[in-house]
Amino acid sequence: MRAEIILSIILSFMVLSCDTGEQEIIIAPRDYTGYIIVIFNQEDGKPVKYEGKKRIYEIPSDGVLKTQFNSNDGWSDYPEFYYEVIDPEYKLPSNILTEIETLPMDTIVGFKGATGSIRKNNYDDERVQFAKYYIGTRSDIKRAKEEAEKLDIVKLGE
């Protein structure tokens, strides 16, 4: 009993000490499948846009969004994915499972891949911050992940 109370207190501190990120809404072109790369802190990127308190990422047809948003650090709910507009009719199921192998074979879903940063060069500490998302069936997402791994994120951020 005492161990359970101590564990509960420790877990409470861990959860409460986490930074909170903003919720995200990803709007992709109609019938889009593939990778989505969001590159943050881009002066010439799409301006910051919100729906209530949620960030809006309007994805272009090539799947790469340069945005003026700062990176979305911290813990947040899973992003919402839509085709074309924010409307329940166009909402895609989101999959919170972390393994691609557990995604449905025949249903198009939104899937959050990874966030990270890459040094622009070997001479200073300037970094390109990004997030990867995917839309598609399991096989679409597997293929898109392989394609996204070949991208030069630094060049995309120029």
Side-chain angles (χ1 to χ4, degrees), residues 4-14:
E4 291 174 0
I5 293 172
I6 292 171
L7 182 59
S8 296
I9 292 171
I10 291 171
L11 289 174
S12 296
F13 279 117
M14 288 174 57

Side-chain angles (χ1 to χ4, degrees), residues 17 56 147 153:
S17 67
I56 302 295
E147 292 171 9
I153 301 289

